[in-house]
């Protein structure tokens, strides 16, 4: 419920074990054995339906803002002394308030209704119970004695409690000498008590003179605390330890800024700027500080919109390497500045206009590895882009740039590029479908500065046959290594060296590219689906490095996709053990022929948008090709069969099993001069809610094709209610470029007892026998709290890492959680 309280609970709970005397508190904090109040087990439920009856005597002068009905019960008194209604009584206000009680006394002079006996109050998501309540129907204030309240997920009891409404109509529950808990039992494990408690439903809770009780023992005091109910606000902390940081404590404090300030309450109305302050203590590295700003008005724009993030740490030892690879000397000033923002524009047309910015400025090439390991794993070299986009139902127009802000990794630039993409749609109302893309831009690429000076330039200056070249080549990977090998294989006076050298170091050119695709879906004879395709494109380069500064390439494409379906209904075939409620088999043989004619590109021609190594088959349509600079002539025929088994589940058709089996035959191969590809199988199996299987395989079946094999699969199974596991297995063997692998990934969760759980993860690379990762997570349910500890071990082959994390979470109150995340490295 409260992260600040939660953090101190974990530290102060040990005090009663170290000394018999209670902690010192201010004089006004209750001492001794004063019993804490009991709380009812209350779950908010809809108000019972009691219909309003006919008009009662004396009710003619009752205001419209008040309704009282006692279903024909007794009525005594008069308007001067008050009218008493015998129960059961239902009182309704014009603000959604409903009160039920044994008796009610209407005092017209005081403009109030006093209810007594089994009082139950419903309003919104709040439920209040007590023996007495007074409702002032003109000012709409509610005053109670001994009220017990529930505002999901909190339970509150106070000696004096009332409901107030601010100027904007917002409901506020105000308790005097109030106790709050989220533990839904007769004797809660913890209480938060204060002289004054103000509950703003779905917003926050404020306390004045707050005391925290563990059971009946006061363990902590604060003069004032304002705790938001949003999990992103308030105080968060994350303790732990790992090899590269040492013991650490990460601290976060989030508040909302912006909006209009309310002079009466001092709060900002319609606050929109989530502001998070960071203060991290890393014993081996130093103290880090940070600030994150996020516009919450853009919550529905996607997870990539993070706002502005600033972080700085004076690193005590920047040479510490997680991988064990020796580092060169870098500065102790480590920092990261990130801006990921989106601005929407309201334009007169029906299209969506927006401006996106994604900028990442880092102090050095090791920063993300050291301080953002969860990002480094998937995106070690962050992009830097900014652009304006217009999107409608059929097209996307973009004007954007890509910038080289960080000079320590290879990156390409767009300064700028304009692109217009059209989705597939009918052409002029005809049955012919059209899609296309057109772009023009100033494009470049540049190698990392440190690699240019320490590796590439020395390598290219060595004479042929120099043995020192091998050591330098080992420091290059992928495309850079391939280019360096090509250059080393040529004679010094070969004219192609200039173009290859430009591609390796820094290349830039202006490029215009367009490709337009047309297709005509047809159904012949009612059973044969035929879709012929044709396309034409052109690419032109200006100011290109190499033998020719201007290059033109024309693309012509033709193809046809043919498929047909067979189905067999097995009727009401039932097998509840395998989740079958009826069964239908759908068989779809298909063939896809694609012929592309492209002007030949020399090996020294510019290539920035190029192919990367992959184990998966290439797309057969040029419109799906993003490697524009690597488009080469091909003539490919893909043959395959799709199998689907369908059943009924929850009143809908459910795909029980899907299997796609296919392979390519090459009349002309654009990459490796193959005749056949591997035989591919893609399988999805979803028989039961607690079981799933995903498999991708490829095997060489004919000579003259791919000579490698791959198997990648994952099984997820929950065989009992107390045990769940997921096992993944991947084998890659004899790939011409990618490293062979034979890896097992096992994850389990076991419910040991009602209050104990254990989660594990192991990653084993059997190719060299290294257990790369081990993770163990132990959880303990303490009633209102959930505690946990996690240990992780990584073997990076050159160096091993160890991490320890702790968790303390208060149930039903997400803002009270202590984040529990295992080392994502």
């Amino acid at each position: 419920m409260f992260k600040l309280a939660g953090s101190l609970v974990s530290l102060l709970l040990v005090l009663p074990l170290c000394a018999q005397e209670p902690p010192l508190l201010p004089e006004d904090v209750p001492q001794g054995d004063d019993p804490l109040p009991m709380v009812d087990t209350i779950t908010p439920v809809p108000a019972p339906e009691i219909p309003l009856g006919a008009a009662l005597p004396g009710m003619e002068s009752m205001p419209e803002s008040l309704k009282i009905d006692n279903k024909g019960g007794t009525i005594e008194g008069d308007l001067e002394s008050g009218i008493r209604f015998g129960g059961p009584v239902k009182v309704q206000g014009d603000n959604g308030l409903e009160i039920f009680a044994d008796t009610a006394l209407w005092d017209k002079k005081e403009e109030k209704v006093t209810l007594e006996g089994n009082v139950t109050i419903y309003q919104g998501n709040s439920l209040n119970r007590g023996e007495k309540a007074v409702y002032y129907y003109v000012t709409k204030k509610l005053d109670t004695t001994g009220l017990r309240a529930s505002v999901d997920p909190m339970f509150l009891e106070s000696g004096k409690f009332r409901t107030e409404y601010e100027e904007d109509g917002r409901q506020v529950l105000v308790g005097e000498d109030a106790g709050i808990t989220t533990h839904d039992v007769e004797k809660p494990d913890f209480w938060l008590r204060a002289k004054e408690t103000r509950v703003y439903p779905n917003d926050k809770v404020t306390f004045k003179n707050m005391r925290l009780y563990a059971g009946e023992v006061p363990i902590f005091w604060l003069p004032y605390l304002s705790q938001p109910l949003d999990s992103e606000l308030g105080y968060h902390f994350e303790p732990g330890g790992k090899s590269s940081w040492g013991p650490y404590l990460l601290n976060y404090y989030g508040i909302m800024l912006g909006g209009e300030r309310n002079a009466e309450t001092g709060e900002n109305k319609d606050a929109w700027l989530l502001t998070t302050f960071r203060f991290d203590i890393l014993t081996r590295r130093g103290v880090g500080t940070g600030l994150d700003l996020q516009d919450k008005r853009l919550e529905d724009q996607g997870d990539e919109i993070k706002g502005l993030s600033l972080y700085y740490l004076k690193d005590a030892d920047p040479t510490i390497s997680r991988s064990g690879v020796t580092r060169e000397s870098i500065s102790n000033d480590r920092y990261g500045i990130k801006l990921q923002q989106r601005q929407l524009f309201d334009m007169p047309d029906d299209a969506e206009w927006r401006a996106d910015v994604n900028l990442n400025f880092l102090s050095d090439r090791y920063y993300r590895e050291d301080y953002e390991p969860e990002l480094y794993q998937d995106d070690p070299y962050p992009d830097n882009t900014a652009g304006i986009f217009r999107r409608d139902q059929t097209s996307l127009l973009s004007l954007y740039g890509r910038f080289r802000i960080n000079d320590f990794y290879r990156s390409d630039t767009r300064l700028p590029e304009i692109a217009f993409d059209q989705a597939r749609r009918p052409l002029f109302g005809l049955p012919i479908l059209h899609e296309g893309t057109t772009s023009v831009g100033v494009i470049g690429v540049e190698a990392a500065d440190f690699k240019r000076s320490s590796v590439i330039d020395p390598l290219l200056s060595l004479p042929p046959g120099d043995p020192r070249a091998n050591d330098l080549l080992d420091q290059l990977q992928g495309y850079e290594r391939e280019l360096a090998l090509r250059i080393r294989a040529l004679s010094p006076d070969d004219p192609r060296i200039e173009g290859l050298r430009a591609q390796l170091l820094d290349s830039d050119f202006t490029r215009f590219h367009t490709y337009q695709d047309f297709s005509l879906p047809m159904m012949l004879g009612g059973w044969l689906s035929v879709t012929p395709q044709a396309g034409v494109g052109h690419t032109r380069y200006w100011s290109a490095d190499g033998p020719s500064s201007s290059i033109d390439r024309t693309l012509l494409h033709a193809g046809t996709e043919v498929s047909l379906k067979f189905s067999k209904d097995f009727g009401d075939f039932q097998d509840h053990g395998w989740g079958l409620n009826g069964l239908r088999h759908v068989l779809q043989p298909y063939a896809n022929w694609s012929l592309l004619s492209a002007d030949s590109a020399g090996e020294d021609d510019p290539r920035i948008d190029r192919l990367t190594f992959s184990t998966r088959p290439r797309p057969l349509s040029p419109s799906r090709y993003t490697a524009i600079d690597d488009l080469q002539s091909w003539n490919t025929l893909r043959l395959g069969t799709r199998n689907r088994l369908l059943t009924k589940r929850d009143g809908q058709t459910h795909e029980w099993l899907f299997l796609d089996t296919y392979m390519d035959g090459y009349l002309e191969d654009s990459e490796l001069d193959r005749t056949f590809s591997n035989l591919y199988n893609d399988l999805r199996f979803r028989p039961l809610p607690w079981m799933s299987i995903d498999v991708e395989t490829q095997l060489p079946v004919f000579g003259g094709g791919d000579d490698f094999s791959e198997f990648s699969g994952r099984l997820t199974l929950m065989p009992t209610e107390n045990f769940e596991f997921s096992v993944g297995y991947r084998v890659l063997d004899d790939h011409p470029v990618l490293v062979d692998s034979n890896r097992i990934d096992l994850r389990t969760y076991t419910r040991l007892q009602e209050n104990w759980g254990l989660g594990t993860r192991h990653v084993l690379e059997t190719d060299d026998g290294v257990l790369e990762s081990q993770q163990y997570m132990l959880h303990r349910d303490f009633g209102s709290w959930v505690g946990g500890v996690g240990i992780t071990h990584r073997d990076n082959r050159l160096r091993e890492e160890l991490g320890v994390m702790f968790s303390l979470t208060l149930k039903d109150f997400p803002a009270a959680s202590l984040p529990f995340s295992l080392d994502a490295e």
Side-chain angles (χ1 to χ4, degrees), residues 41 51 62 130 141 185 191 241 246 287 338 361 365 406 428 445 472 489 512 530 586 590 610 617 751 777 785 803:
T41 300
M62 184 174 293
K141 289 186 177 182
V185 296
W191 279 93
V287 175
K338 295 183 289 185
F361 181 48
R365 61 189 175 114
N406 304 303
F428 305 123
V445 66
L472 294 173
F512 169 81
V530 179
V586 178
Y590 64 92
R610 54 183 173 74
R751 186 181 180 186
M777 299 153 283
W785 301 86

Side-chain angles (χ1 to χ4, degrees), residues 410 413 442-447 452 479 495-511 540-551 602-608:
R410 186 180 185 89
T413 59
V442 180
I443 303 172
V445 66
E446 193 167 348
R452 174 200 296 263
Y479 187 61
R496 292 173 294 177
I497 288 182
E498 181 183 353
L500 292 173
R501 185 185 181 94
Q503 294 183 49
L504 180 59
L505 292 174
D506 48 63
S507 176
D508 59 85
F509 50 80
T510 301
R511 185 185 69 193
R540 179 174 175 81
Y541 301 88
W542 297 277
S543 304
D545 298 308
S548 177
S549 62
S550 179
I551 303 171
E603 63 177 6
D604 56 342
D605 284 349
R607 282 182 174 86
I608 293 180

Side-chain angles (χ1 to χ4, degrees), residues 72 79 163 206 600 653 713:
L79 295 178
T163 300
T206 64
S600 298
T653 300

Side-chain angles (χ1 to χ4, degrees), residues 545-617:
D545 298 308
S548 177
S549 62
S550 179
I551 303 171
D552 288 277
R553 302 180 63 202
T554 299
L555 307 173
L556 296 175
H557 177 254
T560 302
E561 184 172 0
V562 181
S563 67
L564 64 158
K565 289 184 179 181
F566 305 94
S567 66
K568 180 176 177 58
D569 194 338
F570 292 89
D572 296 329
F573 181 83
Q574 303 283 331
D575 191 332
H576 295 295
W578 285 98
L580 289 172
N581 180 23
L583 183 64
R584 175 184 291 270
H585 178 210
V586 178
L587 175 67
Q588 184 183 22
Y590 64 92
N592 192 347
W593 170 65
S594 177
L595 171 63
L596 177 67
S597 174
D599 291 337
S600 298
E603 63 177 6
D604 56 342
D605 284 349
R607 282 182 174 86
I608 293 180
D609 292 329
R610 54 183 173 74
L611 291 173
T612 57
F613 298 114
S614 172
T615 63
R616 303 301 298 171

Side-chain angles (χ1 to χ4, degrees), residues 66 84 161 198 464 600 610:
L66 178 67
R84 180 174 296 276
F161 193 82
R198 301 178 71 88
S600 298
R610 54 183 173 74

Side-chain angles (χ1 to χ4, degrees), residues 718-730:
M718 187 175 180
T720 72
E721 62 179 9
N722 295 323
F723 180 68
E724 179 180 3
F725 75 91
S726 174
V727 58
Y729 181 54
R730 181 176 185 263

